[in-house]
């Protein structure tokens, strides 16, 4: 009798040309849709989160040690060279490189655009330089002369090619120029106005574009030699900070905290990591992933309600059979097991079909994106926002187990209520009504 509930559940699921078969198929399709969509969306979000982290690690400084008074107009600590030696000797640190960072305005054939740049020396032990060279698209990454390296997107926006000479202006100097021009009264005589404008200067240098980096993997930042950046940002012989490449960048924060607590970093200096720099973006991706999980869970709830409706319909249609089974001595838990088993079978078939559908659409996700973009005329995964040329995907086993378990559990709980009411039916009433 122990196998009787499963036998009857399979018997009730046999395809027949009846309303019950139709709603059973609809319930199975609902579970399939819920599981498939969750698998697809969670895999894409996990892949994007993973690729974004790897991309940041691949071009962002793992950590930056900076003087607290890092403003351009404030005096800086003169001991950065000794600090660099101390940090470079740490076992957690791969390389320690002095850098100068800020914003410049690049001009080419009348096109002006601002860009964030990092100035650094072209040294053999420069870990940041070595990993940036992996993103080289064209040219040679050379920071020894009057050169500049830009992203391919930025170079394309200003119409620059390898070998072009670009006029690079210090952003602070441009802002000061604008302020000085505005201070000249409009009613000033033309001659005096021209003399006043002659006294207004902008710090500019002609730099040669020697290389471009892939914007989708290395971001939009530019790179110049250290001495040029020091001149642009009024640092003289000082630096904006010391960039550190770590052996374990995924644990950058605890590593830097340990280094700071050890006294290797003076109290007048602070530090930040790549995770802190992009923490809001990383947190936003995680929050979106969690929110999407809860929103898509409603599809699963609708599927569970469909399973409940199927169970209610079956229990009503099989009321006479239930009465006969009860009269023959079948216990209430066995009646419940029949219909819960039926819901479980529907859920399992839906889960398997949903997994297959989800993985199928994951395999053609980029083709699907291109098709949608072609039909709608809109890019649904723009590279300038996500910095990735293709839609990433990574499926976690934990996510799969959670999705499948949730789907089956919801269907079983949905079927439990009508099954419980069916098991409480009076045999005499059921036989009379069913007859």
């Amino acid at each position: 009798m122990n196998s009787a509930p499963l036998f009857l559940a399979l018997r009730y699921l046999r395809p027949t040309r009846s309303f019950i078969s139709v709603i059973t198929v609809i319930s199975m399709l609902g579970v399939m849709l819920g599981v498939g969509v969750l698998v697809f969306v969670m895999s894409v979000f996990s892949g994007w989160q993973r690729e974004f982290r790897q991309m940041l690690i691949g071009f962002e400084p793992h950590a930056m040690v900076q003087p607290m008074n890092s403003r351009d107009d404030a005096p800086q600590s003169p001991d950065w060279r000794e600090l660099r030696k101390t940090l470079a000797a740490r076992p957690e640190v791969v390389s320690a490189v002095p850098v100068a960072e800020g914003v410049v305005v690049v001009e080419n054939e009348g096109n002006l655009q601002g860009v964030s740049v990092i100035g650094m020396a072209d040294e053999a032990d420069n870990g940041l330089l070595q990993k940036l060279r992996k993103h080289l698209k064209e040219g040679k990454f050379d920071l020894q002369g009057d050169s500049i390296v830009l992203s391919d997107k930025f170079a394309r926006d200003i119409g620059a090619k390898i070998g072009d000479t670009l006029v690079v202006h210090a952003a602070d100097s441009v802002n000061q120029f604008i302020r000085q021009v505005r201070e000249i009264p409009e009613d000033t005589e033309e001659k005096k106005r021209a003399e006043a404008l002659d006294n207004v200067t902008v710090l500019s240098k002609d730099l040669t574009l020697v290389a471009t980096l892939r914007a989708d993997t290395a971001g939009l930042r530019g790179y110049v030699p250290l001495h040029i950046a020091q001149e642009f940002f009024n640092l003289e012989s000082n630096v904006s900070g010391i960039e550190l490449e770590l052996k374990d960048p995924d644990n950058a924060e605890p590593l830097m905290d340990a280094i700071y607590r050890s006294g290797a970093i003076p109290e007048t200096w602070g530090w930040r990591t790549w995770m802190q720099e992009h923490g809001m973006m990383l947190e936003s991706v995680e929050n979106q992933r969690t929110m999407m999980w809860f929103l898509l869970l409603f599809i699963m709830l609708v599927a569970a309600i469909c399973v409940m409706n199927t169970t209610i319909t079956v229990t009503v249609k099989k009321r006479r059979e239930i009465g006969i089974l009860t009269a023959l001595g079948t216990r209430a838990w066995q009646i419940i097991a029949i219909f819960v088993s039926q819901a479980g079978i529907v859920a399992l078939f839906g889960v398997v079909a949903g997994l297959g559908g989800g993985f199928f659409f994951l395999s053609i996700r980029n083709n699907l994106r291109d098709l949608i973009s072609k039909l709608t005329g809109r890019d649904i995964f723009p590279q300038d926002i996500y910095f990735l040329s293709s839609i990433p995907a990574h499926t976690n086993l934990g996510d799969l187990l959670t999705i499948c378990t949730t789907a089956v559990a919801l269907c079983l709980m949905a079927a439990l209520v009508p099954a419980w009411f069916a098991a409480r039916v009076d045999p005499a009433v059921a036989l009379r009504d069913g007859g």
Side-chain angles (χ1 to χ4, degrees):
M1 192 66 181
N2 290 334
S3 60
L6 181 60
F7 170 78
L8 290 173
L10 291 171
R11 181 175 178 275
Y12 291 159
L13 284 172
R14 286 179 183 175
T16 59
R17 295 181 180 178
S18 65
F19 179 68
I20 294 178
S21 296
V22 174
I23 61 175
T24 300
V25 171
I26 293 174
S27 300
M28 197 176 298
L29 289 175
V31 177
M32 180 188 73
L33 179 64
V35 171
V37 171
L38 270 173
V39 168
F40 182 87
V41 173
M42 291 299 104
S43 296
V44 170
F45 265 98
S46 296
W48 154 238
Q49 191 175 26
R50 185 183 185 187
E51 288 296 324
F52 185 64
R53 288 176 64 91
Q54 292 301 318
M55 181 187 68
L56 292 178
I57 292 175
F59 78 88
E60 280 286 352
H62 293 166
M64 185 77 76
V65 179
Q66 295 176 305
M68 296 294 192
N69 51 357
S70 58
R71 301 187 312 274
D72 293 339
D73 58 346
Q76 297 189 4
S77 303
D79 57 347
W80 65 266
R81 294 172 183 83
E82 291 298 324
L83 178 58
R84 179 195 180 187
K85 294 179 182 178
T86 301
L87 293 174
R90 299 283 304 189
E92 310 95 329
V93 178
V94 176
S95 70
V97 180
V99 296
E101 58 180 355
V103 177
V104 297
V105 178
V106 182
E107 179 181 359
N108 180 54
E109 298 179 351
N111 297 319
L112 287 90
Q113 283 197 37
V115 63
S116 174
V117 298
I118 284 183
M120 55 185 173
D122 194 343
E123 301 173 340
D125 60 347
N126 189 332
L128 177 60
L129 190 63
Q130 292 173 7
K131 71 179 184 181
L132 284 172
R133 282 183 172 140
K134 298 177 182 178
H135 305 280
L136 187 66
K137 183 173 183 179
E138 189 179 5
K140 182 181 179 182
F141 204 124
D142 181 11
L143 296 180
Q144 294 183 347
D146 289 345
S147 57
I148 185 170
V149 177
L150 298 172
S151 69
D152 58 345
K153 182 181 183 302
F154 186 87
R156 186 168 57 250
D157 289 343
I158 63 174
K161 303 184 297 296
I162 299 297
D164 287 353
T165 299
L166 309 177
V167 182
V168 182
H169 311 282
D172 289 343
S173 179
V174 172
N175 292 332
Q176 185 179 1
F177 171 81
I178 295 174
R179 286 194 299 268
Q180 291 176 343
V181 169
R182 288 177 176 175
E183 290 174 357
I184 300 175
E186 294 183 1
D187 56 351
T188 305
E189 295 180 6
E190 191 67 28
K191 184 177 180 181
K192 292 183 178 180
R193 185 177 181 84
E195 292 176 355
L197 288 173
D198 288 339
N199 295 326
V200 179
T201 59
V202 176
L203 176 58
S204 304
K205 290 188 75 70
D206 292 338
L207 302 181
T208 302
L209 180 61
V210 295
T212 57
L213 304 178
R214 290 183 55 186
D216 59 337
T217 59
L220 301 176
R221 185 186 288 127
Y223 301 90
V224 297
L226 178 61
H227 68 277
I228 291 177
Q230 288 173 324
E231 184 178 353
F232 276 145
F233 308 137
N234 299 321
L235 294 174
E236 297 179 355
S237 61
N238 292 312
V239 294
S240 300
I242 300 174
E243 183 274 333
L244 303 180
E245 292 298 300
L246 304 174
K247 291 183 178 179
D248 187 9
D250 287 322
N251 294 315
E253 291 195 21
L255 286 177
M256 291 304 300
D257 186 59
I259 293 174
Y260 184 79
R261 291 179 181 276
S262 69
I265 301 176
E267 294 183 357
T268 57
W269 289 65
W271 57 271
R272 73 173 194 268
T273 65
W274 67 272
M275 288 182 285
Q276 293 172 338
E277 188 76 11
H278 299 274
M280 291 186 63
M281 187 64 177
L282 293 170
E283 186 177 350
S284 174
V285 173
E286 182 62 31
N287 290 339
Q288 290 177 27
R289 185 173 180 272
T290 304
M291 185 62 66
M292 192 62 67
W293 165 263
F294 283 109
L295 289 176
L296 295 177
L297 190 62
F298 283 98
I299 299 178
M300 208 85 77
L301 289 174
V302 172
I305 292 172
C306 290
V307 172
M308 177 184 285
N309 291 335
T310 302
T311 307
I312 293 172
T313 304
V314 173
T315 55
V316 172
K317 290 287 185 180
K318 304 298 181 181
R319 187 175 176 84
R320 180 180 175 81
E321 286 87 337
I322 295 172
I324 294 173
L325 289 172
T326 306
L328 291 174
T330 304
R331 295 182 179 181
W333 70 265
Q334 292 174 318
I335 301 294
I336 294 173
I338 293 172
F339 300 105
V340 172
S341 298
Q342 183 181 3
I345 294 170
V346 171
L348 288 175
F349 274 98
V351 165
V352 173
L355 289 174
F359 285 122
F360 170 74
F361 282 103
L362 279 175
S363 66
I364 62 169
R365 61 188 182 278
N366 289 305
N367 296 330
L368 196 62
R369 178 198 64 176
D370 296 338
L371 178 61
I372 295 175
S373 299
K374 184 177 180 180
L375 293 175
T376 62
R378 297 180 61 184
D379 190 356
I380 62 173
F381 198 81
Q383 179 178 322
D384 56 346
I385 295 177
Y386 297 100
F387 297 104
L388 295 173
S389 57
S390 61
I391 299 177
H394 175 72
T395 305
N396 293 320
L397 180 60
D399 287 344
L400 287 182
L401 292 176
T402 302
I403 292 169
C404 297
T405 303
T406 302
V408 174
L410 287 175
C411 291
L412 294 178
M413 287 188 293
L416 187 61
V417 176
W420 182 76
F421 278 105
R424 296 179 68 247
V425 69
D426 189 313
V429 176
L431 289 171
R432 183 190 64 195
D433 295 342

